[in-house]
Amino acid sequence: MEEISLTPEEVAIRLKIAKNTVYELIKRGDLPAYRVGRKIRVDLKDVEAYKKQGKKVELTLEDTAPVPGLTREVVPRQTINTANEIHDSRELVICGQDVLLDILTRHLEQHPHGTRAFRHYVGSFPGLLALYQENVDMAAIHLWDGDTGVYNIPYVRRLLPGIPAMIIHLACRMQGFYVAKGNPKNIKDWYDLTRRDIRFINREKGSGTRVLLDEKLRLLGLDRRLINGYHVEGPSHLAIASAVARGDADVGLGNEKVSMQVRGIEFVPLQKEHYELVIKKEDIHKPCFQAVLEILQSREFKKELEGLGDYDLNETGKIVAEI
């Protein structure tokens, strides 16, 4: 048994769970794993040890319908409050990629009415889809509608049809171009992306940054086919900034905070965006969701974010829309 190693797919088959759940177990440290080159492997003995450990705890599993790209296993936990009363609470899943969500997760786990929370690092469109499919509890988004000039509200109405939702403001961030130090190619606006001497690197479809770019191109009448590198994608702001710093591209689009973390990069500001949290209205009175509101409105949370830069926190924690 010690000599047998399994792929995540084989582990998923043995445990009768989704492959994404296996990756989550590995990420949390619940299931030991190691790399062979670029591949992840798990020893069979560790899988059997995980199964034996699970048999020692009585758990009731909720059935959840899987959606493409995201499946989670929901495990109600028995917890004891200060009155020594036993009650069930559910771990939360929060979609979004900004570091402020990691800070929110930590505060939520420490809050007296909070709970353990998991992060699912996907863009705005996949996050809203997962919320619609009831596979996550909250989705952080920054989706700009070019026709109205409004962030997020038009997309929540379209992508959560028939589901009353609330939008809670997290922060405003500045979006702009990452360029090499000194901006040697003098890149200043959206029109420069179509220049023949410019190499661009894009964000993946479904990300708020990609939506901003495509909306701007549509409104300005710019042909995306003229952009050298439009179909070259990076999975995060950091990946885009790093590509520019390495010289693999001349320009990329992302938020200002990441430009402060990558050497050899300058930032060309273009537009302030609203980064906001979407939850279902039916959940707002649950203790853990109330804890989220309290944390977002707390001085302690805002003070921790102030030192990170590129955050306008004037309306953090404000309910900006009920849809």
Side-chain angles (χ1 to χ4, degrees), residues 31-63:
L31 186 62
Y34 57 95
R35 288 187 178 274
V36 179
R38 300 181 62 182
K39 303 296 184 180
I40 295 177
R41 293 291 183 268
V42 180
D43 286 338
L44 177 58
K45 62 181 179 65
D46 291 324
V47 176
E48 295 300 322
Y50 178 80
K51 290 169 62 177
K52 290 179 181 178
Q53 181 182 3
K55 291 178 181 178
K56 297 178 182 179
V57 183
E58 293 183 2
L59 298 175
T60 303
L61 300 180
E62 286 181 24
D63 292 327

Side-chain angles (χ1 to χ4, degrees), residues 30-319:
D30 294 339
L31 186 62
Y34 57 95
R35 288 187 178 274
V36 179
R38 300 181 62 182
K39 303 296 184 180
I40 295 177
R41 293 291 183 268
V42 180
D43 286 338
L44 177 58
K45 62 181 179 65
D46 291 324
V47 176
E48 295 300 322
Y50 178 80
K51 290 169 62 177
K52 290 179 181 178
Q53 181 182 3
K55 291 178 181 178
K56 297 178 182 179
V57 183
E58 293 183 2
L59 298 175
T60 303
L61 300 180
E62 286 181 24
D63 292 327
T64 57
V67 298
L70 172 64
T71 303
R72 67 165 175 161
E73 182 182 18
V74 181
V75 182
R77 299 183 291 127
Q78 281 195 326
T79 59
I80 302 177
N81 61 21
T82 54
N84 293 323
E85 296 175 349
I86 297 178
H87 64 282
D88 287 334
S89 68
R90 194 180 72 170
E91 298 163 342
L92 299 182
V93 177
I94 305 175
C95 285
Q97 297 180 326
D98 196 282
V99 68
L100 74 80
L101 298 174
D102 296 317
I103 297 173
L104 172 62
T105 296
R106 174 163 49 79
H107 279 259
L108 184 59
E109 292 180 351
Q110 297 170 353
H111 193 281
H113 300 295
T115 185
R116 188 178 183 185
F118 298 106
R119 299 272 286 100
H120 188 54
Y121 294 87
V122 296
S124 298
F125 259 91
L128 277 181
L129 175 61
L131 184 62
Y132 178 70
Q133 297 283 0
E134 299 185 345
N135 281 276
V136 302
D137 303 283
M138 306 177 189
I141 63 174
H142 54 116
L143 295 167
W144 183 67
D145 179 59
D147 293 330
T148 63
V150 173
Y151 268 93
N152 301 323
I153 293 175
Y155 291 90
V156 173
R157 284 178 174 155
R158 297 167 191 162
L159 296 180
L160 297 181
I163 299 178
M166 303 182 73
I167 301 177
I168 305 168
H169 187 76
L170 293 173
C172 285
R173 311 181 302 186
M174 183 60 70
Q175 283 271 39
F177 290 145
Y178 302 136
V179 297
K181 194 170 184 62
N183 196 2
K185 295 201 173 182
N186 196 29
I187 300 169
K188 295 181 178 180
D189 58 34
W190 305 99
Y191 293 96
D192 289 323
L193 298 182
T194 61
R195 284 165 40 188
R196 292 185 177 182
D197 64 325
I198 299 299
R199 296 170 300 154
F200 180 67
I201 182 168
N202 210 346
R203 283 295 305 278
E204 78 280 5
K205 296 180 180 67
S207 67
T209 301
R210 178 66 168 264
V211 170
L212 173 62
L213 171 68
D214 289 339
E215 284 287 87
K216 287 292 184 181
L217 296 179
R218 177 178 67 86
L219 293 173
L220 295 173
L222 296 175
D223 189 343
R224 63 184 181 180
R225 292 173 295 182
L226 298 178
I227 299 176
N228 179 21
Y230 177 86
H231 296 291
V232 179
E233 299 179 351
S236 67
H237 296 289
L238 184 60
I240 300 300
S242 297
V244 175
R246 294 192 307 269
D248 293 341
D250 299 309
V251 59
L253 184 62
N255 66 44
E256 184 177 11
K257 176 169 56 62
V258 168
S259 69
M260 302 173 183
Q261 301 169 340
V262 180
R263 292 182 180 179
I265 288 293
E266 284 191 11
F267 185 75
V268 180
L270 294 172
Q271 178 164 310
K272 180 177 282 190
E273 67 174 7
H274 293 252
Y275 193 56
E276 293 168 330
L277 193 65
V278 183
I279 66 173
K280 294 180 181 178
K281 192 173 181 179
E282 63 191 28
D283 291 330
I284 190 61
H285 296 296
K286 296 178 181 178
C288 56
F289 288 85
Q290 285 293 304
V292 169
L293 274 176
E294 291 179 17
I295 292 166
L296 293 176
Q297 296 168 359
S298 71
R299 178 59 190 156
E300 293 77 13
F301 179 74
K302 295 178 182 179
K303 186 176 180 180
E304 189 166 350
L305 293 181
E306 285 173 354
L308 298 180
D310 188 38
Y311 289 125
D312 179 346
L313 306 173
N314 289 328
E315 295 186 342
T316 299
K318 178 183 177 180
I319 299 175

